[in-house]
Amino acid sequence: MRAVDLIRQKRDGGALDAGAIKAFVDGATDGSWPDYQVSALLMAIVLRGMSLDEAIALTEAMVGSGQRLDLSEFGGTPVDKHSTGGVGDQTSLILAPLAAACGVVVPMMSGRGLGHTGGTLDKLEAIPGFRTNLTLAEMRRVLRQTGCVLIGQTDEIAPADRKLYALRDVTATVESRPLICASILSKKIAEGIGGLVLDVKVGRGAFMKTRDDARALASWLIRIAEGNGVRTEALLTSMDAPLGRAVGNASEVIEAIETLKGQGPKDLEELSVALAARLLILAGTAKDDADAERQVRDALTSGAGLEKFRDVILAQGGDPRVVDDYARMPIADTEIIWPADRDGVVANLDAELIGRATVALGAGRDRTDAAIDPGVGIHVEATVGTPVKRGDAVLRLRCDDRQRVAAARDLLAEAIVIGDTAPALSPVIVERMDVAAAMRMEG
Amino acid sequence: MRAVDLIRQKRDGGALDAGAIKAFVDGATDGSWPDYQVSALLMAIVLRGMSLDEAIALTEAMVGSGQRLDLSEFGGTPVDKHSTGGVGDQTSLILAPLAAACGVVVPMMSGRGLGHTGGTLDKLEAIPGFRTNLTLAEMRRVLRQTGCVLIGQTDEIAPADRKLYALRDVTATVESRPLICASILSKKIAEGIGGLVLDVKVGRGAFMKTRDDARALASWLIRIAEGNGVRTEALLTSMDAPLGRAVGNASEVIEAIETLKGQGPKDLEELSVALAARLLILAGTAKDDADAERQVRDALTSGAGLEKFRDVILAQGGDPRVVDDYARMPIADTEIIWPADRDGVVANLDAELIGRATVALGAGRDRTDAAIDPGVGIHVEATVGTPVKRGDAVLRLRCDDRQRVAAARDLLAEAIVIGDTAPALSPVIVERMDVAAAMRMEG
């Protein structure tokens, strides 16, 4: 079937079969479909949608555009976690070492920050020497040494996703549930995992603003991943205010290490432990939920998770002394206190605005090729619900560039609300969804 | 505004203002918008639609992508006709000389056949030596000599349309009312006309199968052209069976000459005279409808129209002796009679299937770069409503290639229906629509 006929079929609201979808993905990847036909079909998909079966086939075709790694040499069921993107969310740096310390294989492939959310690769690269761009051979070596690895996407993994994402970004075809799901999952599935836990953020600082939207996305992600042979479940988690207290790359690495030392913010610890426990369940190395949680807690309190993180840093070329000496991390010299402008209670710390302010300080990028400053960041001194007096520190900023600080000010002024009474706090973990729950969802 | 933002706006169902539409058209024409962004926006337009105001702005921008000719040196109001595409429809070759013989300036720019419909350029090029690819200077010379000219689109006229049409053809974005209207009208408006009559075909052999669809298209075409300063009206005309009796390029030229001699099929003569009369009204050279029709009839019966066609052939490099000696036209040697397979009355001669059969014989093209054979064709011996005996000729085919004849057989077998009683015949002209009628239409 010719490309134009497939485009017409989707344009008219029809479903594409697996063969047609594979022809599209292969054609986009090898260039035999010109970009103008690829983008026309992408727009038709955005506006006409795809059925779940089509999304499963799309994901499978995107996985098939490159290698699907065989990690059987490591034994057991390799597992990974994916987050839909939050602010101050460095759970990956905590849960991967914790799960690996419990004997689970975690081949974690992550992305960079874009928009107001941070990215695991940017955080890791704040550690002097840490390399995220490993070859597949290096990845296997690190996995063999430590049981976990934290890297970026390689050329061999889902090349169709890189091609399609670059085109979607410039043709306003990003916002499509089937395209979003296939992009996320094709990379994870190609890693060779057998289990996946999803951290689907919901709230003011998340891409999904409502619980219904988050549940709909989670159910699709679960069913598509399961349709490609990966056991998957999701935690829906709050993202109204930043997770933990640190936002910014080096700051978040330090907070992750503090958490692995048992000294981290309670919300960050709770979520990291919960996600790690789900990895043990999916890997089949825990008897039940209670056993999984107990194993992870033991790895935390014994310091085994911290030692595992030190091993990973060393194996990936980083300076492991940062674990004991935070001064070895790049932190901006200039500290600015953001005071409360009245007496009251911290009623809101808008995660999206704080994320955008951190990007304005230089921690993130508004273009994929922009450079970032690992040493800038924002630390929350008074979390939501904390009583404050006028002049008390609400935030502490780190940034040496006064112009960048000026650019962040308006965002922060809007982000912080001091009220008269403490607001109701939402739990960190809103809901857990497994494949059975996903199947019960409509559409 | 960036291209991606304009695409997003249309994707989300918003309207684009005239500046945005001009940026799109100019960007597509000069290549500063890459094809993948152009095609993404085209698909968004197909699926989200455009308002009438947007379509007017799109047409204006496409006209503005090239020259809008100034024909004021010729005096009066230059006029043209456009047909939405029929089978056996050579009215252009008849009405342009007739109107010019009445003193009206007719700078007619036509297209080639595509799909099952014929094209005026292909028909004219069946005349030995006839050149349709004139330069603008040559076009003005012919207009000065004869008052009418019959040519193809030049590089200076609406280059955006050529660019967009080529992309639409391969991205399944042809079928969109605003895009279709802008494509048709941008070329006509750029010719420098002040009046336009539309022949909107409706029926089995037309792109518009129902009268409602035809009326909707006609009302948009009228309002967009009027919005660009061109007085416009439409005739809705029947296209169930082929118009006249000849289908095929040289055959249709001969039938046009016969009609200019007063010996043509009545339906073809009636429609050609009616369209020519509307041109006189739009040019302002007739007192009223009756006067317009009388002037055109006089040009027909006096032979002035025939002489004008002879002049045009000569001025455009063709052999004017074809007017008196049809043997100078290329006609295939082999004649095949298609007989009635039973006694009865011709109940149907499906125009689309006969059009496709004629293309199969070699008269048309299924790709824009395919060559055609001017000498093949189909002549209707027994029109709809004619009583026939088994074995009587219904059609006469001309084609020297037996394989092509074989390819046409199945189409013709399906196209011809011999019934027991004569069907009700629809009038050639179904309805006339002016701008007031168009304004009364919804949407």
Side-chain angles (χ1 to χ4, degrees):
Chain A
M1 214 171 180
R2 296 179 311 155
V4 65
D5 297 323
L6 298 185
I7 299 168
R8 182 175 297 111
Q9 197 169 330
K10 179 49 69 183
R11 180 199 72 187
D12 293 342
L16 302 177
D17 64 23
I21 289 170
K22 184 169 168 15
F24 159 60
V25 169
D26 289 350
T29 310
D30 68 20
S32 61
W33 274 48
D35 285 352
Y36 51 80
Q37 290 184 317
V38 175
S39 67
L41 182 50
L42 287 170
M43 182 58 81
I45 291 170
V46 168
L47 291 175
R48 289 298 201 173
M50 272 188 152
S51 69
L52 189 66
D53 283 343
E54 286 178 286
I56 291 171
L58 176 63
T59 306
E60 186 177 357
M62 286 169 64
V63 171
S65 71
Q67 290 186 27
R68 185 167 180 168
L69 302 186
D70 177 359
L71 302 180
S72 55
E73 63 179 294
F74 302 104
T77 302
V79 293
D80 194 2
K81 181 223 61 159
H82 175 80
S83 158
T84 60
V87 176
D89 173 17
Q90 67 273 42
T91 58
S92 292
L93 280 58
I94 303 162
L95 66 89
L98 283 176
C102 297
V104 171
V105 177
V106 186
M108 185 175 275
M109 213 167 267
S110 303
R112 298 195 177 277
L114 197 60
H116 69 279
T117 67
T120 296
L121 299 182
D122 295 330
K123 295 169 195 176
L124 289 167
E125 288 174 359
I127 301 170
F130 198 101
R131 287 179 54 223
T132 59
N133 61 337
L134 303 191
T135 63
L136 290 183
E138 290 173 322
M139 172 195 175
R140 285 178 190 276
R141 176 182 56 74
V142 175
L143 266 186
R144 206 171 299 121
Q145 286 174 357
T146 70
C148 85
V149 67
L150 299 160
I151 60 171
Q153 201 180 345
T154 73
D155 289 345
E156 298 88 347
I157 296 294
D161 177 61
R162 273 194 305 284
K163 170 72 192 181
L164 290 178
Y165 194 85
L167 209 48
R168 287 167 62 204
D169 193 39
V170 292
T171 56
T173 52
V174 170
E175 296 87 345
S176 154
R177 191 188 294 164
L179 295 177
I180 289 169
C181 290
S183 174
I184 290 172
L185 293 174
S186 58
K187 289 170 284 198
K188 293 291 180 182
I189 294 165
E191 286 169 5
I193 55 173
L196 177 65
V197 63
L198 300 164
D199 180 1
V200 177
K201 306 288 189 188
V202 54
R204 281 189 294 275
F207 292 110
M208 300 289 124
K209 304 296 182 196
T210 71
R211 190 159 160 184
D212 278 349
D213 284 350
R215 297 185 85 222
L217 177 64
S219 86
W220 266 59
L221 285 167
I222 290 169
R223 293 173 72 177
I224 294 168
E226 293 267 348
N228 277 275
V230 175
R231 268 192 72 194
T232 304
E233 56 181 56
L235 298 184
L236 270 58
T237 71
S238 287
M239 182 44 63
D240 290 323
L243 186 66
R245 289 165 173 259
V247 186
N249 298 293
S251 320
E252 292 187 48
V253 172
I254 293 168
E255 189 167 80
I257 295 169
E258 284 288 290
T259 304
L260 285 167
K261 289 176 178 171
Q263 301 160 2
K266 286 303 140 198
D267 59 343
L268 178 59
E269 178 183 298
E270 178 190 344
L271 180 53
S272 302
V273 168
L275 289 166
R278 299 322 301 170
L279 290 183
L280 269 58
I281 296 288
L282 290 166
T285 64
K287 286 200 300 282
D288 52 30
D289 291 1
D291 179 46
E293 176 122 0
R294 188 192 49 73
Q295 288 188 49
V296 174
R297 287 259 165 225
D298 284 352
L300 184 66
T301 51
S302 70
L306 182 66
E307 290 316 304
K308 185 62 74 176
F309 190 44
R310 199 194 303 267
D311 293 346
V312 172
I313 294 173
L314 184 64
Q316 294 196 222
D319 181 351
R321 292 173 297 179
V322 297
V323 170
D324 305 304
D325 182 4
Y326 301 148
R328 292 181 181 276
M329 295 291 291
I331 295 288
D333 293 327
T334 313
E335 187 173 274
I336 301 129
I337 298 296
W338 190 282
D341 58 0
R342 52 165 286 200
D343 293 359
V345 181
V346 178
N348 190 16
L349 294 172
D350 187 290
E352 177 164 349
L353 292 168
I354 290 174
R356 286 170 57 195
T358 315
V359 171
L361 293 180
R365 41 176 79 74
D366 47 11
R367 297 198 337 247
T368 45
D369 56 348
I372 65 166
D373 181 343
V376 301
I378 292 176
H379 196 270
V380 176
E381 296 296 314
T383 53
V384 173
T386 306
V388 287
K389 295 281 181 197
R390 181 184 159 93
D392 282 358
V394 180
L395 305 179
R396 195 159 32 88
L397 280 57
R398 287 277 190 175
C399 183
D400 295 328
D401 183 328
R402 295 173 68 167
Q403 282 190 310
R404 287 181 175 277
V405 174
R409 279 192 186 280
D410 285 351
L411 293 163
L412 291 175
E414 197 185 337
I416 299 168
V417 178
I418 311 288
D420 294 322
T421 52
L425 290 178
S426 45
V428 180
I429 297 168
V430 178
E431 180 177 345
R432 180 152 69 86
M433 191 182 274
D434 60 12
V435 66
M439 302 275 282
R440 285 193 297 271
M441 296 274 299
E442 290 283 322
Chain B
M1 214 172 182
R2 297 179 311 157
V4 64
D5 296 323
L6 299 186
I7 300 169
R8 181 176 297 111
Q9 198 168 330
K10 179 50 67 184
R11 180 200 72 187
D12 293 343
L16 301 178
D17 63 24
I21 289 171
K22 184 169 169 10
F24 159 59
V25 170
D26 289 350
T29 310
D30 68 20
S32 61
W33 274 48
D35 286 352
Y36 51 80
Q37 290 184 317
V38 175
S39 67
L41 183 50
L42 288 170
M43 182 58 81
I45 291 171
V46 168
L47 290 175
R48 289 298 200 174
M50 272 187 152
S51 68
L52 188 66
D53 284 342
E54 288 178 283
I56 290 171
L58 176 62
T59 305
E60 186 177 356
M62 285 169 64
V63 170
S65 71
Q67 290 186 28
R68 185 167 180 167
L69 302 186
D70 177 359
L71 302 180
S72 54
E73 64 180 293
F74 301 104
T77 303
V79 292
D80 194 3
K81 181 223 60 158
H82 175 79
S83 158
T84 60
V87 175
D89 173 17
Q90 67 273 44
T91 58
S92 291
L93 280 58
I94 303 162
L95 67 88
L98 284 175
C102 297
V104 172
V105 178
V106 186
M108 185 176 275
M109 213 167 267
S110 304
R112 299 195 176 276
L114 196 59
H116 70 279
T117 67
T120 295
L121 299 183
D122 295 330
K123 294 169 194 175
L124 288 166
E125 289 175 359
I127 300 170
F130 198 102
R131 288 178 52 222
T132 59
N133 60 337
L134 303 191
T135 64
L136 289 183
E138 290 173 322
M139 173 194 173
R140 285 178 189 276
R141 176 182 57 72
V142 176
L143 266 186
R144 206 171 299 122
Q145 287 173 357
T146 70
C148 86
V149 67
L150 299 159
I151 60 172
Q153 201 180 343
T154 73
D155 288 346
E156 298 87 347
I157 297 293
D161 177 61
R162 272 194 306 284
K163 172 71 191 179
L164 291 178
Y165 194 85
L167 209 47
R168 288 167 61 204
D169 192 40
V170 292
T171 56
T173 52
V174 171
E175 297 87 344
S176 153
R177 191 189 294 166
L179 296 178
I180 287 169
C181 291
S183 174
I184 289 171
L185 293 173
S186 58
K187 288 170 285 198
K188 293 290 180 183
I189 294 165
E191 286 169 6
I193 56 173
L196 177 65
V197 63
L198 301 164
D199 180 2
V200 178
K201 305 287 189 189
V202 54
R204 281 189 295 275
F207 292 111
M208 301 289 123
K209 304 296 182 195
T210 71
R211 189 157 161 186
D212 279 349
D213 284 349
R215 297 185 85 223
L217 177 64
S219 85
W220 266 58
L221 285 168
I222 290 169
R223 294 174 72 178
I224 294 169
E226 293 268 350
N228 278 275
V230 175
R231 267 192 75 196
T232 303
E233 56 181 56
L235 297 185
L236 270 58
T237 70
S238 286
M239 184 42 65
D240 289 324
L243 186 65
R245 289 167 173 258
V247 186
N249 297 295
S251 320
E252 291 188 48
V253 173
I254 293 169
E255 189 167 79
I257 295 169
E258 284 287 290
T259 305
L260 285 168
K261 290 176 179 171
Q263 300 160 1
K266 286 303 141 198
D267 59 344
L268 178 60
E269 179 184 297
E270 178 190 344
L271 180 53
S272 301
V273 168
L275 289 166
R278 298 324 301 171
L279 290 183
L280 269 59
I281 295 288
L282 290 166
T285 63
K287 287 200 299 282
D288 53 30
D289 290 1
D291 179 46
E293 177 121 359
R294 188 192 48 73
Q295 289 189 49
V296 175
R297 285 261 165 223
D298 284 352
L300 185 65
T301 51
S302 70
L306 181 67
E307 291 315 302
K308 186 61 76 177
F309 191 42
R310 199 192 302 266
D311 293 347
V312 172
I313 294 172
L314 185 63
Q316 295 195 222
D319 181 352
R321 292 173 296 179
V322 298
V323 170
D324 304 304
D325 182 3
Y326 300 150
R328 292 181 181 276
M329 296 289 291
I331 295 287
D333 293 326
T334 313
E335 186 174 275
I336 301 130
I337 298 294
W338 189 282
D341 57 359
R342 51 165 288 197
D343 294 359
V345 181
V346 177
N348 190 16
L349 294 172
D350 187 289
E352 177 164 349
L353 291 169
I354 290 175
R356 286 169 58 195
T358 315
V359 171
L361 293 180
R365 41 176 80 74
D366 48 10
R367 296 198 340 244
T368 45
D369 56 348
I372 65 166
D373 182 344
V376 302
I378 293 176
H379 197 270
V380 176
E381 297 296 313
T383 54
V384 173
T386 307
V388 287
K389 295 279 181 198
R390 180 185 159 93
D392 283 357
V394 179
L395 305 180
R396 196 157 32 87
L397 281 57
R398 288 277 190 175
C399 183
D400 295 327
D401 183 327
R402 295 173 67 168
Q403 280 190 311
R404 289 181 174 278
V405 173
R409 280 193 185 278
D410 284 351
L411 293 163
L412 291 175
E414 196 185 338
I416 299 168
V417 178
I418 312 288
D420 294 321
T421 53
L425 290 179
S426 46
V428 179
I429 297 168
V430 177
E431 180 176 345
R432 179 151 70 86
M433 191 182 273
D434 60 11
V435 66
M439 303 275 281
R440 285 193 297 272
M441 294 274 300
E442 289 283 321

